[in-house]
Amino acid sequence: MPKIKLMSHLVAGYPTDEISFQAASAMVKGGADILEIQLAFSDPSADGPAIQEACTEVLSRHYRVSDGLAFIAKIHKAFPQTTIYLMSYASLVYTPGVENFCKRASEAGVRGMIIPDLPFDHDEGLTAACKKYGMENIPVASPSMDEARLSQMAHAGFPHIYASLRVGITGTTTVIDDETLQFISKVREGGSAVYGGFGISTGEQSKAIANSVEAVIAGSVFVRLIKKYAHDEKALSEAVEAKARKLCGLR
């Protein structure tokens, strides 16, 4: 089987910028094609306990959006061939002005925005601002969407759509079954490439959806590894790289 394309998720600055950078480096070394870098937010409604805890810890250090963008710029400089997507919530994007935020993100090396609480058809100008600054808005599709609305998103012309493979929050186990694959198929109906994630933590899960998606997304599994090995630099790099390789279908 060819290498599975992987989007791996981390929270900027968790638990420190140095450890977060080390984890990102191990993800890239392990085969991650895309880094989904989250800016910490006080109420990350789509995220499970691991990512919520990471956000809380980062914010306790008075970490600002400017710190997160500086971290992203450092990652981009170190790994210019790796695509970086910024994930966060509408408040952080809307408060400074959507266009202003997108300009700053683009200058830091971001190539796409994933803002799950901004509806694709009422996005406060996010799609237009992304296009202006050489990025793309990647809307989030959920199995809870009604058929008509899901079809509308699928046919709206987005290059990529992020498919949340189940209802609820990230981090708990997702069972890949026929229903999951049917949902992905519906998201792909209009020709958009699909990124599939939520609860992906094993190579077996990754392989089960690999033929249906552009890339597999894994997040909480990496955040938990970062927490577990934060005080052991060598173990952290080895664990994160090994997990990335398994999710990519590599030995």
Side-chain angles (χ1 to χ4, degrees), residues 2-9 22-36 79 81-83 206 214-218 222 237-251:
K3 176 191 172 296
I4 299 167
K5 194 170 181 180
L6 173 65
M7 182 196 300
S8 56
H9 178 109
Q22 183 187 339
S25 303
M27 290 172 183
V28 173
K29 188 176 180 182
D33 306 274
I34 304 165
L35 294 178
E36 180 191 11
F79 306 105
Q81 303 307 314
T82 301
T83 299
S206 189
E214 169 79 8
V216 173
I217 307 162
F222 286 114
S237 292
E238 288 176 351
V240 170
E241 181 184 346
K243 178 55 71 174
R245 289 183 65 82
K246 285 182 180 177
L247 290 165
C248 288
L250 302 172
R251 292 185 177 183

Side-chain angles (χ1 to χ4, degrees), residues 35 113 124 128 157:
L35 294 178
M113 303 279 285
E124 303 294 344

Side-chain angles (χ1 to χ4, degrees), residues 9-226:
H9 178 109
L10 68 156
V11 177
Y14 175 71
T16 66
D17 275 15
E18 293 74 24
I19 294 170
S20 195
F21 182 86
Q22 183 187 339
S25 303
M27 290 172 183
V28 173
K29 188 176 180 182
D33 306 274
I34 304 165
L35 294 178
E36 180 191 11
I37 303 179
Q38 178 168 351
L39 297 186
F41 184 61
S42 57
D43 185 24
S45 55
D47 296 307
I51 293 177
Q52 286 186 22
E53 183 180 322
C55 286
T56 298
E57 187 167 331
V58 170
L59 292 172
S60 73
R61 292 168 29 220
H62 307 290
Y63 205 79
R64 298 168 299 176
V65 167
S66 57
D67 298 317
L69 292 176
F71 173 78
I72 288 172
K74 181 180 177 183
I75 295 284
H76 177 61
K77 184 177 180 181
F79 306 105
Q81 303 307 314
T82 301
T83 299
I84 297 175
Y85 292 153
L86 184 154
M87 182 265 165
S88 197
Y89 290 88
S91 177
L92 290 187
V93 180
Y94 184 78
T95 301
V98 173
E99 186 166 326
N100 174 48
F101 187 95
C102 286
K103 182 176 185 290
R104 293 170 66 198
S106 177
E107 289 170 350
V110 173
R111 288 296 163 260
M113 303 279 285
I114 301 168
I115 312 296
D117 57 343
L118 264 184
F120 75 95
D121 50 352
H122 293 87
D123 67 3
E124 303 294 344
L126 180 62
T127 298
C130 282
K131 286 180 180 176
K132 181 174 179 177
Y133 294 105
M135 303 185 297
E136 62 173 296
N137 176 27
I138 303 167
V140 179
S142 167
S144 64
M145 295 174 74
D146 69 58
E147 295 282 335
R149 186 164 175 75
L150 181 59
S151 179
Q152 185 184 355
M153 178 189 283
H155 291 86
F158 291 101
H160 296 91
I161 296 175
Y162 184 126
S164 167
L165 300 183
R166 57 170 168 72
V167 177
I169 55 175
T170 62
T172 54
T173 302
T174 296
V175 176
I176 308 298
D177 54 19
D178 287 342
E179 195 172 329
T180 308
L181 300 178
Q182 286 168 13
F183 168 65
I184 294 172
S185 181
K186 290 175 184 175
V187 179
R188 293 170 57 188
E189 266 181 9
S192 300
V194 174
Y195 298 132
F198 256 54
I200 301 297
S201 61
T202 69
E204 290 72 26
Q205 289 172 303
S206 189
K207 288 172 186 173
I209 64 168
N211 291 331
S212 302
V213 297
E214 169 79 8
V216 173
I217 307 162
S220 294
V221 63
F222 286 114
V223 175
R224 286 192 289 265
L225 287 175
I226 292 167

